[in-house]
Amino acid sequence: MTPEQLATVGLRLHVEGPVATVTLDRPEVRNAQTPAMWLALGEIGRTLPDEVRVVVVAGEGASFSAGLDRAMLDPTTSLEDGHESVVGLLALSDEEASARIEEFQRGFTWLRDPRFVSIAKVRGHAIGAGFQLALSCDLRVVAEDAMFSMKESALGLVPDLTGTQPLVEHVGYARALEICATARVVTSEEAVRIGLATAAVPAAELDDAVAGLAASLVAPMPGVVAETKALLQGAGDRDLDEQRRLEREAQVRRFRAVAAALA
């Protein structure tokens, strides 16, 4: 998508060498999300250059994302620009609505691609869909004012943008259930303590903290971090023999890559 097309749905993409930065750019509504934004995020994932090794996801202004734009739940909302509303799903059959949500989910699942490490740079609100977007990333570095909340239950809904599995992986079933069912706020301090965030820093230091982490992730020889991410993803669901096999195969590839680089 062109920069102009991305701007239309409230997104910016900046690629500098091996680091791509995706910015939610609707600060006037605290970067509230729309279906058009989700589809565009999926397109970014499909067309990202192969040389990208780190993807940073950020929000413009004081908030990461306040979640779903409430206008998308209002049947009276005018959408002359052709963008669809979430309430429009009600006009579809169950199968059609499920298929459409699957398309929306692709705007989140691409951040798990082993080709790169994804980092959510979170300041202020990360609510609902914003929380799930942050959960889609491999790592979360947050400002001390960051506030996470899975607000879907307060709207009579469930989290459906791929956030439930990583939430359980990070904090366990019981705490994940409590966070989702109560829709309460998780502060930055708690997020670090329970494993949702890797670090919380003063807001003025957030940009430098994320830039430093990105630099560390691109420092190793190309391919190393991607192979490591692929090994770690799903490791808890494999038996030891399968994990050992994958480690061996990955290491053979690394030996050959190092030898080729030294030749």
Side-chain angles (χ1 to χ4, degrees):
M1 297 181 72
T2 67
E4 294 75 20
Q5 289 172 319
L6 290 175
T8 298
V9 299
L11 291 171
R12 296 199 316 269
L13 172 65
H14 176 70
V15 179
E16 185 173 354
V19 180
T21 301
V22 180
T23 304
L24 281 62
D25 191 14
R26 303 183 72 212
E28 69 281 2
V29 289
R30 294 188 302 176
N31 301 314
Q33 299 176 32
T34 66
M37 183 182 285
W38 300 332
L39 297 174
L41 284 168
E43 185 62 22
I44 289 174
R46 285 189 291 272
T47 59
L48 205 63
D50 289 338
E51 55 269 25
V52 169
R53 296 165 60 190
V54 172
V55 175
V56 177
V57 181
E60 182 64 32
S63 290
F64 180 73
S65 174
L68 176 67
D69 190 330
R70 294 294 184 90
M72 298 297 103
L73 294 173
D74 184 351
T76 67
T77 297
S78 177
L79 297 173
E80 289 88 353
D81 58 3
H83 295 168
E84 64 186 288
S85 67
V86 171
V87 77
L89 294 172
L90 296 175
L92 305 176
S93 69
D94 288 357
E95 293 77 13
E96 291 170 331
S98 178
R100 194 57 173 160
I101 293 172
E102 197 276 333
E103 292 183 61
F104 300 157
Q105 291 173 332
R106 294 175 197 167
F108 296 71
T109 54
W110 68 275
L111 289 161
R112 298 172 172 86
D113 193 313
R115 291 182 301 144
F116 49 76
V117 175
S118 52
I119 306 169
K121 181 168 69 174
V122 180
R123 66 176 85 246
H125 299 88
I127 309 298
F131 192 0
Q132 294 187 77
L133 183 61
L135 283 167
S136 296
C137 294
D138 299 307
L139 307 172
R140 282 152 296 284
V141 179
V142 307
E144 290 175 346
D145 67 350
M147 296 174 288
F148 297 94
S149 179
M150 204 70 85
K151 280 288 187 183
E152 282 78 1
S153 65
L155 300 173
L157 304 172
V158 298
D160 67 337
L161 296 171
T162 78
T164 54
Q165 185 180 62
L167 185 61
V168 171
E169 289 173 348
H170 292 309
V171 306
Y173 161 75
R175 194 183 298 273
L177 176 60
E178 181 258 337
I179 288 172
C180 291
T182 64
R184 71 173 178 87
V185 170
V186 177
T187 65
S188 62
E189 181 277 330
E190 183 183 1
V192 173
R193 177 163 48 83
I194 66 177
L196 277 177
T198 57
V201 301
E205 300 175 14
L206 183 60
D207 289 345
D208 287 343
V210 172
L213 177 57
S216 297
L217 290 168
V218 300
M221 181 179 177
V224 172
V225 175
E227 287 276 20
T228 303
K229 177 177 174 177
L231 278 174
L232 294 174
Q233 284 182 322
D237 297 324
R238 303 183 193 112
D239 62 31
L240 180 58
D241 285 344
E242 176 69 3
Q243 188 70 10
R244 289 192 305 122
R245 179 185 66 79
L246 293 173
E247 289 176 357
R248 295 192 301 269
E249 293 173 354
Q251 193 70 307
V252 169
R253 290 192 292 271
R254 297 314 309 153
F255 280 142
R256 297 195 185 284
V258 171
L262 295 175

